[in-house]
Amino acid sequence: MPIRTQMLDSGNFVYAPDLPPNSAFEEYLEFANRMMRQWREAQEACDLSPFSDDLRRRKIQADELFKNFVEAFGPRFSLRPVRQEPMFVPLSRFLQQQYPIQDPFSILHCELEIPLHTVHDFPDHNALAQVNAALGEDTAFPWWQRGPHGQPCYLFGKSVWELKSSEAEQSPEGIILSFLELSDKHCQANGRVSRSATIVRAKSSENYIPEQLRRDVWRRTGGKCSKCRGWESLDFDYVTPPRPGTEPTPDNIELLCNSCYRKKHGLD
């Protein structure tokens, strides 16, 4: 199973969405992004051809530019001052407060010495849909950093998870299924899917819903109530009770919050 990391807020921020645009900061960020890109390109090129005099000169120039950048902007935009600056919201708090995210935003990153720069842009509806699907545990979004064990990481739910080496070798579909299985176990532990109660009801009426169908339905609904789109206290339920001897199908299974479940079955 993927392993939860502490990387979500490890130097990751968003410009406060309730503040008006800041032209001076936007100008700084454009410069910082361009400088960081040039520095990384020079580093990567030199790694590929370490014996090229021209590439070594480019790397020295890039290192000098990077050093000047850190000296000029580190006192304001490295980790310690940014943590104290209200114009920057820690990423986990932003994701909690803004989900589902409606407006374009960028994930900004800084470290103790490296000043703030952009690592992810979400400029349009398609990009926002991807991150919202990951936050809703419907899919997984590739994270920009590798984890503590050097493996790829993904945003899933409100956390960043590192894959195990065997999981990282799977197809994209296999990776998604790993996270859906994680979602099932995680939600049981946190009471969001009352699967034990569902199993009791299903078994008592010979309507047990198989594990694979649960994952299929969870993926289809994005982990939300099929009626009201809520996400708390969810249960799997049959749309109509299946006839004895018939195989259950995903189309006849829905995900309901406790309120919608009680209304459907006349329990209020």
Side-chain angles (χ1 to χ4, degrees):
M1 300 292 289
I3 304 168
R4 189 197 302 269
T5 75
Q6 302 299 317
M7 296 168 60
L8 190 63
D9 272 343
S10 181
N12 296 305
F13 297 85
V14 173
Y15 181 82
D18 55 342
L19 293 180
N22 183 317
S23 58
F25 176 67
E26 289 178 351
E27 184 176 343
Y28 157 77
L29 202 57
E30 181 180 351
F31 166 77
N33 294 339
R34 185 171 61 251
M35 194 284 310
M36 290 295 293
R37 185 169 57 250
Q38 292 174 351
W39 181 63
R40 289 197 181 102
E41 288 173 353
Q43 296 272 13
E44 292 170 0
C46 193
D47 288 343
L48 291 173
S49 302
F51 303 109
S52 168
D53 290 338
D54 181 57
L55 290 179
R56 277 203 299 271
R57 281 193 296 270
R58 281 178 53 192
K59 184 179 183 300
I60 292 171
Q61 292 172 352
D63 286 343
E64 186 65 25
L65 179 63
F66 180 74
K67 177 183 175 183
N68 294 337
F69 170 69
V70 169
E71 291 176 351
F73 296 106
R76 182 175 180 189
F77 292 125
S78 59
L79 189 55
R80 288 193 184 97
V82 167
R83 277 177 174 163
Q84 301 171 4
E85 175 58 64
M87 69 187 290
F88 303 115
V89 180
L91 181 57
S92 61
R93 192 198 315 164
F94 172 81
L95 298 179
Q96 290 282 352
Q97 294 176 345
Q98 300 296 320
Y99 176 75
I101 302 170
Q102 305 291 334
D103 300 313
F105 75 102
S106 297
I107 298 177
L108 312 176
H109 180 75
C110 59
E111 298 174 14
L112 288 174
E113 299 297 335
I114 301 177
L116 206 64
H117 58 284
T118 303
V119 292
H120 271 313
D121 268 322
F122 299 90
D124 53 35
H125 173 76
N126 289 335
L128 292 176
Q130 291 178 11
V131 73
N132 279 326
L135 294 171
E137 299 186 351
D138 190 35
T139 189
F141 182 83
W143 197 242
W144 67 280
Q145 293 169 298
R146 286 186 172 264
H149 301 95
Q151 298 299 325
C153 290
Y154 289 80
L155 176 68
F156 183 76
K158 305 301 189 298
S159 301
V160 172
W161 304 79
E162 182 179 19
L163 296 180
K164 295 180 180 177
S165 56
S166 58
E167 295 167 335
E169 297 171 357
Q170 297 180 105
S171 67
E173 293 77 13
I175 290 174
I176 289 173
L177 289 176
S178 295
F179 278 101
L180 291 176
E181 184 178 355
L182 168 70
S183 172
D184 192 40
K185 293 185 177 180
H186 171 70
C187 290
Q188 287 180 63
N190 288 277
R192 281 179 50 193
V193 178
S194 308
R195 197 172 66 169
S196 59
T198 306
I199 291 175
V200 170
R201 284 199 303 271
K203 283 185 175 179
S204 65
S205 58
E206 297 183 351
N207 286 339
Y208 171 65
I209 300 173
E211 179 81 15
Q212 182 58 53
L213 290 184
R214 293 171 185 272
R215 289 212 289 265
D216 291 344
V217 173
W218 182 272
R219 183 178 186 180
R220 185 188 72 209
T221 62
K224 296 180 181 179
C225 175
S226 301
K227 302 293 186 184
C228 70
R229 306 302 294 163
W231 60 269
E232 294 182 342
S233 301
L234 299 175
D235 251 328
F236 295 95
D237 192 32
Y238 283 107
V239 177
T240 58
R243 287 177 293 181
T246 61
E247 290 292 327
T249 63
D251 292 341
N252 194 35
I253 301 169
E254 57 188 350
L255 197 55
L256 299 177
C257 67
N258 183 59
S259 176
C260 290
Y261 180 88
R262 294 180 66 85
K263 288 178 183 177
K264 175 182 174 180
H265 293 278
L267 301 176
D268 288 333

